[in-house]
């Protein structure tokens, strides 16, 4: 019983919604767009059902930085989003995740990476939208997408809070030898 005709099917990916939102922003002259969504996707599991996965997906298009005096305007690229994703994955500790070259039909060949766990399981993908897909969606700028499973990322070791000492830090320690007289 969907709310509208567009919501009649279970999502295989969060990307179509993000691309639609990016196009909506582009049509309203928003030149720099950064979006992310946490949601559920559904993958067929052979003949016996469907797997439901919670994923985090993101999109970046337009200028790499907000307009400012000190920096020249340049478009966001694969390495900008790759750096952001690596910073997110680094929270789990060193060596838990890595990025390796990958292939995806909706992404540009040579500008696609797979997110892999330390055990070798592929949990996501990152890349530049293929020019054919970009033309079909109507986007006029290069767009970078990623989508990773959330459960392996959340299973990472999260830093815990420790109370800060109430006493000031000792920056210099002096030892004086004084004659008894």
């Amino acid at each position: 019983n969907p709310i509208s005709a567009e919501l009649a099917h279970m999502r295989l990916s969060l990307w179509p919604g993000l691309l639609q939102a990016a196009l909506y922003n582009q049509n309203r002259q928003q030149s720099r767009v950064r979006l992310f969504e946490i949601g559920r996707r559904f993958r067929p599991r052979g003949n016996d059902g469907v797997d439901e996965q919670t994923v985090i997906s993101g999109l970046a298009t337009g200028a790499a930085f907000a307009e400012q005096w000190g920096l020249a305007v340049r478009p966001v690229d694969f390495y900008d989003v790759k750096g952001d994703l690596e910073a997110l994955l680094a929270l789990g500790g060193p060596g838990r995740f890595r990025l390796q070259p990958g292939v995806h039909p909706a992404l540009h060949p040579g500008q696609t990476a797979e997110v892999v766990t330390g055990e070798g399981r592929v949990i996501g993908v990152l890349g530049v939208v293929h020019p054919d897909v970009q033309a079909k969606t109507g986007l006029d700028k290069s767009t970078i997408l990623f989508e990773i499973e959330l459960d392996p990322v959340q299973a990472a070791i999260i830093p815990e809070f420790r109370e800060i000492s109430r006493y000031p830090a000792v920056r210099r320690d002096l030892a004086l030898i004084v004659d008894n007289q």
Side-chain angles (χ1 to χ4, degrees), residues 168-179:
V170 176
R171 292 184 294 181
R172 183 177 297 160
D173 187 13
L174 298 176
L176 302 173
I177 300 175
V178 181
D179 199 4

Side-chain angles (χ1 to χ4, degrees), residues 138-157:
L139 291 169
D140 61 1
K141 293 183 177 90
S142 178
T143 304
I144 296 90
L145 292 168
F146 72 86
E147 186 167 86
I148 56 174
E149 295 175 25
L150 196 56
D151 289 340
V153 176
Q154 286 182 323
I157 301 164

Side-chain angles (χ1 to χ4, degrees), residues 86-100:
E86 284 177 334
L88 173 68
L89 296 173
L91 294 175
R96 288 192 49 118
F97 305 101
R98 70 180 188 281
L99 278 86
Q100 66 186 25

Side-chain angles (χ1 to χ4, degrees), residues 97-167:
F97 305 101
R98 70 180 188 281
L99 278 86
Q100 66 186 25
V103 177
H104 190 281
L107 301 177
H108 196 291
Q111 296 183 31
T112 303
E114 294 176 333
V115 180
V116 182
T117 64
E119 297 83 37
R121 187 169 79 88
V122 176
I123 62 164
V125 66
L126 156 75
V128 178
V129 174
H130 195 283
D132 293 341
V133 176
Q134 182 178 336
K136 286 179 185 176
T137 57
L139 291 169
D140 61 1
K141 293 183 177 90
S142 178
T143 304
I144 296 90
L145 292 168
F146 72 86
E147 186 167 86
I148 56 174
E149 295 175 25
L150 196 56
D151 289 340
V153 176
Q154 286 182 323
I157 301 164
I158 306 296
E160 292 185 20
F161 169 77
R162 281 189 290 162
E163 187 175 335
I164 298 172
S165 174
R166 290 181 283 180
Y167 305 106

